[in-house]
Amino acid sequence: MKTFLNNMINKIGVLTVILFTMSCSSDDFQKLDQRNWQLVWADEFNEAAGTLPNSANWTYDLGNGLNGWGNQELQSYTNNPENVSMDGDGNLVITALRSGTLFTSARIKTQGLFSQKYGRFEARIITPYGPGLWPAFWMLGDNIETVNWPQCGEIDIMELRGQEPNAIAGSLHGPGYSAGNAISKKYVLSNSRFDTDYHLYAVEWDADKIDFFVDGYLYNRIERGDVPGEWVYDNPFFLILNIAVGGNYVGFPTTQTPFPQRMIIDYVRVYQEVK
């Protein structure tokens, strides 16, 4: 019996070694195709403190929009330095402010100044937090003035619900799959929050697919065949950065929502692939 038990123990030990070896040989990192990116546009936000965004790169959406920019948002967008300006430390800061029941913030965009079809689009950002806050780094199709939304397409590189500061989402909005029916996926930090440090948000976009990254990790791939309607991502898109307050996606701010809240942007960079 003792010999039998020893043989069994030895066999179990060998099996354990084999299973351990098999486990160690499995992929514990992402194997992505190597791509050669060439920088074609960037804003590093190195101007003096209090300076507005470079007018050669950015323009503004101002005011309350139509029905709170279509989402019943509460803020009025301004181009005041208290809502959008450099901090003098290499960052652009968008600040959401509260004055009684009124809210102001900023929404800047490259519409009419820069747009691009395909490539890599990235920004290094510290997000704000708090119920009812909605920071975003996103893009709209250049043809929005002629075909309207969502036919123009929308690529949400990063959006965050302030009440969930450990989760961001990357999404596509297009004809037949917009608003609450957007194609979307969350990326969640298990032991941290996006408002406590910089994180790098990016998409890599080509004729067949759009990949969504956080800090170099690919967490969402949407291919041409994945959308239930028309693929509308073969035209140039322009960039947008903003903090919304309230709206359909996040609900109203509460007494627990701290103001002011800031979105700190270290840089925005855009690349084209060189083959």
mmCIF file of all heavy atoms in Angstrom, residues 221-248:
data_model
loop_
_atom_site.group_PDB
_atom_site.id
_atom_site.type_symbol
_atom_site.label_atom_id
_atom_site.label_comp_id
_atom_site.label_asym_id
_atom_site.label_seq_id
_atom_site.Cartn_x
_atom_site.Cartn_y
_atom_site.Cartn_z
ATOM 1 N N ARG A 221 -12.417 46.087 -29.304
ATOM 2 C CA ARG A 221 -12.223 46.150 -30.756
ATOM 3 C C ARG A 221 -13.593 46.061 -31.412
ATOM 4 O O ARG A 221 -14.347 45.117 -31.174
ATOM 5 C CB ARG A 221 -11.324 45.024 -31.252
ATOM 6 C CG ARG A 221 -11.312 44.874 -32.789
ATOM 7 C CD ARG A 221 -10.236 43.924 -33.256
ATOM 8 N NE ARG A 221 -8.918 44.535 -33.106
ATOM 9 C CZ ARG A 221 -7.782 43.880 -33.395
ATOM 10 N NH1 ARG A 221 -7.819 42.633 -33.820
ATOM 11 N NH2 ARG A 221 -6.621 44.507 -33.241
ATOM 12 N N ILE A 222 -13.917 47.064 -32.233
ATOM 13 C CA ILE A 222 -15.175 47.062 -32.968
ATOM 14 C C ILE A 222 -14.840 47.021 -34.455
ATOM 15 O O ILE A 222 -14.227 47.949 -34.983
ATOM 16 C CB ILE A 222 -16.030 48.305 -32.645
ATOM 17 C CG1 ILE A 222 -16.298 48.385 -31.133
ATOM 18 C CG2 ILE A 222 -17.354 48.245 -33.408
ATOM 19 C CD1 ILE A 222 -17.041 49.639 -30.691
ATOM 20 N N GLU A 223 -15.243 45.922 -35.099
ATOM 21 C CA GLU A 223 -14.950 45.743 -36.509
ATOM 22 C C GLU A 223 -16.136 46.163 -37.357
ATOM 23 O O GLU A 223 -17.263 46.282 -36.877
ATOM 24 C CB GLU A 223 -14.570 44.287 -36.779
ATOM 25 C CG GLU A 223 -13.313 43.874 -36.025
ATOM 26 C CD GLU A 223 -12.908 42.433 -36.301
ATOM 27 O OE1 GLU A 223 -13.759 41.550 -36.109
ATOM 28 O OE2 GLU A 223 -11.754 42.219 -36.691
ATOM 29 N N ARG A 224 -15.857 46.391 -38.644
ATOM 30 C CA ARG A 224 -16.882 46.875 -39.572
ATOM 31 C C ARG A 224 -18.142 46.013 -39.499
ATOM 32 O O ARG A 224 -19.265 46.532 -39.531
ATOM 33 C CB ARG A 224 -16.298 46.869 -40.989
ATOM 34 C CG ARG A 224 -17.220 47.378 -42.069
ATOM 35 C CD ARG A 224 -16.502 47.367 -43.407
ATOM 36 N NE ARG A 224 -15.537 48.450 -43.514
ATOM 37 C CZ ARG A 224 -15.785 49.623 -44.089
ATOM 38 N NH1 ARG A 224 -16.986 49.863 -44.609
ATOM 39 N NH2 ARG A 224 -14.859 50.540 -44.168
ATOM 40 N N GLY A 225 -17.991 44.717 -39.381
ATOM 41 C CA GLY A 225 -19.140 43.822 -39.349
ATOM 42 C C GLY A 225 -19.859 43.776 -38.016
ATOM 43 O O GLY A 225 -20.917 43.131 -37.901
ATOM 44 N N ASP A 226 -19.334 44.440 -37.001
ATOM 45 C CA ASP A 226 -19.951 44.399 -35.666
ATOM 46 C C ASP A 226 -21.101 45.388 -35.501
ATOM 47 O O ASP A 226 -21.889 45.265 -34.562
ATOM 48 C CB ASP A 226 -18.903 44.698 -34.584
ATOM 49 C CG ASP A 226 -17.850 43.611 -34.489
ATOM 50 O OD1 ASP A 226 -18.159 42.461 -34.866
ATOM 51 O OD2 ASP A 226 -16.727 43.914 -34.047
ATOM 52 N N VAL A 227 -21.157 46.418 -36.359
ATOM 53 C CA VAL A 227 -22.195 47.435 -36.163
ATOM 54 C C VAL A 227 -23.495 46.974 -36.801
ATOM 55 O O VAL A 227 -23.483 46.392 -37.893
ATOM 56 C CB VAL A 227 -21.763 48.811 -36.722
ATOM 57 C CG1 VAL A 227 -20.488 49.283 -36.046
ATOM 58 C CG2 VAL A 227 -21.591 48.767 -38.225
ATOM 59 N N PRO A 228 -24.633 47.200 -36.133
ATOM 60 C CA PRO A 228 -25.912 46.710 -36.665
ATOM 61 C C PRO A 228 -26.463 47.581 -37.792
ATOM 62 O O PRO A 228 -27.412 47.176 -38.460
ATOM 63 C CB PRO A 228 -26.829 46.763 -35.441
ATOM 64 C CG PRO A 228 -26.257 47.833 -34.580
ATOM 65 C CD PRO A 228 -24.774 47.791 -34.791
ATOM 66 N N GLY A 229 -25.874 48.751 -38.003
ATOM 67 C CA GLY A 229 -26.316 49.636 -39.080
ATOM 68 C C GLY A 229 -25.151 49.949 -40.009
ATOM 69 O O GLY A 229 -24.214 49.164 -40.159
ATOM 70 N N GLU A 230 -25.187 51.134 -40.587
ATOM 71 C CA GLU A 230 -24.165 51.544 -41.553
ATOM 72 C C GLU A 230 -22.849 51.874 -40.854
ATOM 73 O O GLU A 230 -22.831 52.505 -39.800
ATOM 74 C CB GLU A 230 -24.671 52.773 -42.314
ATOM 75 C CG GLU A 230 -23.736 53.284 -43.390
ATOM 76 C CD GLU A 230 -24.262 54.540 -44.078
ATOM 77 O OE1 GLU A 230 -25.398 54.957 -43.736
ATOM 78 O OE2 GLU A 230 -23.551 55.101 -44.917
ATOM 79 N N TRP A 231 -21.747 51.436 -41.453
ATOM 80 C CA TRP A 231 -20.404 51.819 -40.977
ATOM 81 C C TRP A 231 -20.092 53.192 -41.539
ATOM 82 O O TRP A 231 -19.967 53.364 -42.758
ATOM 83 C CB TRP A 231 -19.384 50.788 -41.445
ATOM 84 C CG TRP A 231 -17.959 51.057 -41.056
ATOM 85 C CD1 TRP A 231 -17.012 51.683 -41.811
ATOM 86 C CD2 TRP A 231 -17.308 50.677 -39.844
ATOM 87 N NE1 TRP A 231 -15.809 51.731 -41.139
ATOM 88 C CE2 TRP A 231 -15.960 51.115 -39.930
ATOM 89 C CE3 TRP A 231 -17.721 50.023 -38.685
ATOM 90 C CZ2 TRP A 231 -15.041 50.909 -38.908
ATOM 91 C CZ3 TRP A 231 -16.797 49.812 -37.668
ATOM 92 C CH2 TRP A 231 -15.471 50.245 -37.784
ATOM 93 N N VAL A 232 -20.006 54.207 -40.680
ATOM 94 C CA VAL A 232 -19.873 55.601 -41.142
ATOM 95 C C VAL A 232 -18.518 56.187 -40.743
ATOM 96 O O VAL A 232 -18.390 57.391 -40.497
ATOM 97 C CB VAL A 232 -21.021 56.468 -40.593
ATOM 98 C CG1 VAL A 232 -22.339 56.076 -41.241
ATOM 99 C CG2 VAL A 232 -21.122 56.356 -39.062
ATOM 100 N N TYR A 233 -17.498 55.338 -40.714
ATOM 101 C CA TYR A 233 -16.183 55.747 -40.207
ATOM 102 C C TYR A 233 -15.112 55.695 -41.300
ATOM 103 O O TYR A 233 -14.004 55.210 -41.078
ATOM 104 C CB TYR A 233 -15.818 54.881 -38.993
ATOM 105 C CG TYR A 233 -16.944 54.829 -38.002
ATOM 106 C CD1 TYR A 233 -17.826 53.751 -37.997
ATOM 107 C CD2 TYR A 233 -17.183 55.897 -37.141
ATOM 108 C CE1 TYR A 233 -18.903 53.728 -37.122
ATOM 109 C CE2 TYR A 233 -18.259 55.884 -36.280
ATOM 110 C CZ TYR A 233 -19.107 54.791 -36.274
ATOM 111 O OH TYR A 233 -20.183 54.772 -35.420
ATOM 112 N N ASP A 234 -15.489 56.203 -42.477
ATOM 113 C CA ASP A 234 -14.531 56.303 -43.585
ATOM 114 C C ASP A 234 -14.386 57.750 -44.039
ATOM 115 O O ASP A 234 -14.059 58.019 -45.203
ATOM 116 C CB ASP A 234 -14.989 55.423 -44.763
ATOM 117 C CG ASP A 234 -14.933 53.942 -44.429
ATOM 118 O OD1 ASP A 234 -13.919 53.503 -43.844
ATOM 119 O OD2 ASP A 234 -15.902 53.224 -44.729
ATOM 120 N N ASN A 235 -14.650 58.681 -43.117
ATOM 121 C CA ASN A 235 -14.509 60.108 -43.379
ATOM 122 C C ASN A 235 -13.647 60.734 -42.280
ATOM 123 O O ASN A 235 -13.493 60.153 -41.207
ATOM 124 C CB ASN A 235 -15.884 60.793 -43.384
ATOM 125 C CG ASN A 235 -16.782 60.274 -44.473
ATOM 126 O OD1 ASN A 235 -16.459 60.371 -45.659
ATOM 127 N ND2 ASN A 235 -17.917 59.698 -44.076
ATOM 128 N N PRO A 236 -13.109 61.930 -42.504
ATOM 129 C CA PRO A 236 -12.338 62.601 -41.444
ATOM 130 C C PRO A 236 -13.228 62.940 -40.244
ATOM 131 O O PRO A 236 -14.405 63.284 -40.392
ATOM 132 C CB PRO A 236 -11.832 63.878 -42.131
ATOM 133 C CG PRO A 236 -11.889 63.583 -43.593
ATOM 134 C CD PRO A 236 -13.061 62.671 -43.785
ATOM 135 N N PHE A 237 -12.655 62.843 -39.052
ATOM 136 C CA PHE A 237 -13.310 63.209 -37.803
ATOM 137 C C PHE A 237 -12.491 64.302 -37.111
ATOM 138 O O PHE A 237 -11.265 64.352 -37.242
ATOM 139 C CB PHE A 237 -13.418 62.003 -36.865
ATOM 140 C CG PHE A 237 -14.605 61.104 -37.135
ATOM 141 C CD1 PHE A 237 -14.843 60.583 -38.397
ATOM 142 C CD2 PHE A 237 -15.482 60.784 -36.108
ATOM 143 C CE1 PHE A 237 -15.934 59.757 -38.642
ATOM 144 C CE2 PHE A 237 -16.580 59.956 -36.335
ATOM 145 C CZ PHE A 237 -16.806 59.443 -37.612
ATOM 146 N N PHE A 238 -13.179 65.184 -36.348
ATOM 147 C CA PHE A 238 -12.482 66.184 -35.541
ATOM 148 C C PHE A 238 -12.576 65.823 -34.060
ATOM 149 O O PHE A 238 -13.437 65.026 -33.641
ATOM 150 C CB PHE A 238 -13.012 67.595 -35.817
ATOM 151 C CG PHE A 238 -14.475 67.817 -35.475
ATOM 152 C CD1 PHE A 238 -14.874 68.194 -34.196
ATOM 153 C CD2 PHE A 238 -15.454 67.673 -36.460
ATOM 154 C CE1 PHE A 238 -16.213 68.409 -33.890
ATOM 155 C CE2 PHE A 238 -16.811 67.879 -36.168
ATOM 156 C CZ PHE A 238 -17.188 68.249 -34.880
ATOM 157 N N LEU A 239 -11.690 66.438 -33.246
ATOM 158 C CA LEU A 239 -11.540 66.093 -31.830
ATOM 159 C C LEU A 239 -12.345 67.024 -30.927
ATOM 160 O O LEU A 239 -12.518 68.215 -31.237
ATOM 161 C CB LEU A 239 -10.066 66.205 -31.429
ATOM 162 C CG LEU A 239 -9.099 65.223 -32.085
ATOM 163 C CD1 LEU A 239 -7.692 65.792 -32.061
ATOM 164 C CD2 LEU A 239 -9.160 63.879 -31.373
ATOM 165 N N ILE A 240 -12.786 66.516 -29.775
ATOM 166 C CA ILE A 240 -13.523 67.298 -28.782
ATOM 167 C C ILE A 240 -13.054 66.891 -27.384
ATOM 168 O O ILE A 240 -12.839 65.698 -27.112
ATOM 169 C CB ILE A 240 -15.048 67.058 -28.880
ATOM 170 C CG1 ILE A 240 -15.543 67.303 -30.303
ATOM 171 C CG2 ILE A 240 -15.810 67.950 -27.887
ATOM 172 C CD1 ILE A 240 -16.978 66.876 -30.534
ATOM 173 N N LEU A 241 -12.919 67.902 -26.500
ATOM 174 C CA LEU A 241 -12.672 67.673 -25.070
ATOM 175 C C LEU A 241 -13.697 68.492 -24.289
ATOM 176 O O LEU A 241 -13.904 69.672 -24.588
ATOM 177 C CB LEU A 241 -11.270 68.139 -24.686
ATOM 178 C CG LEU A 241 -10.084 67.318 -25.204
ATOM 179 C CD1 LEU A 241 -8.819 68.182 -25.177
ATOM 180 C CD2 LEU A 241 -9.893 66.057 -24.363
ATOM 181 N N ASN A 242 -14.324 67.908 -23.278
ATOM 182 C CA ASN A 242 -15.310 68.685 -22.514
ATOM 183 C C ASN A 242 -15.601 68.025 -21.168
ATOM 184 O O ASN A 242 -15.300 66.839 -20.947
ATOM 185 C CB ASN A 242 -16.618 68.841 -23.291
ATOM 186 C CG ASN A 242 -17.409 67.559 -23.375
ATOM 187 O OD1 ASN A 242 -16.943 66.575 -23.970
ATOM 188 N ND2 ASN A 242 -18.597 67.556 -22.789
ATOM 189 N N ILE A 243 -16.189 68.830 -20.268
ATOM 190 C CA ILE A 243 -16.870 68.298 -19.073
ATOM 191 C C ILE A 243 -18.321 68.761 -19.147
ATOM 192 O O ILE A 243 -18.588 69.967 -19.140
ATOM 193 C CB ILE A 243 -16.275 68.810 -17.748
ATOM 194 C CG1 ILE A 243 -14.787 68.491 -17.636
ATOM 195 C CG2 ILE A 243 -17.018 68.175 -16.564
ATOM 196 C CD1 ILE A 243 -14.149 69.101 -16.371
ATOM 197 N N ALA A 244 -19.243 67.815 -19.220
ATOM 198 C CA ALA A 244 -20.663 68.133 -19.111
ATOM 199 C C ALA A 244 -21.094 67.957 -17.658
ATOM 200 O O ALA A 244 -20.489 67.190 -16.899
ATOM 201 C CB ALA A 244 -21.489 67.238 -20.020
ATOM 202 N N VAL A 245 -22.139 68.688 -17.272
ATOM 203 C CA VAL A 245 -22.720 68.563 -15.928
ATOM 204 C C VAL A 245 -24.175 68.157 -16.099
ATOM 205 O O VAL A 245 -24.955 68.853 -16.755
ATOM 206 C CB VAL A 245 -22.638 69.889 -15.153
ATOM 207 C CG1 VAL A 245 -23.251 69.717 -13.752
ATOM 208 C CG2 VAL A 245 -21.200 70.366 -15.048
ATOM 209 N N GLY A 246 -24.544 67.026 -15.496
ATOM 210 C CA GLY A 246 -25.895 66.509 -15.673
ATOM 211 C C GLY A 246 -26.055 65.871 -17.043
ATOM 212 O O GLY A 246 -25.093 65.637 -17.769
ATOM 213 N N GLY A 247 -27.316 65.568 -17.373
ATOM 214 C CA GLY A 247 -27.586 64.946 -18.665
ATOM 215 C C GLY A 247 -28.032 63.508 -18.526
ATOM 216 O O GLY A 247 -27.975 62.896 -17.455
ATOM 217 N N ASN A 248 -28.499 62.970 -19.659
ATOM 218 C CA ASN A 248 -29.107 61.642 -19.657
ATOM 219 C C ASN A 248 -28.148 60.544 -19.209
ATOM 220 O O ASN A 248 -28.563 59.540 -18.635
ATOM 221 C CB ASN A 248 -29.612 61.308 -21.069
ATOM 222 C CG ASN A 248 -30.643 62.308 -21.552
ATOM 223 O OD1 ASN A 248 -31.389 62.878 -20.761
ATOM 224 N ND2 ASN A 248 -30.681 62.543 -22.860
#
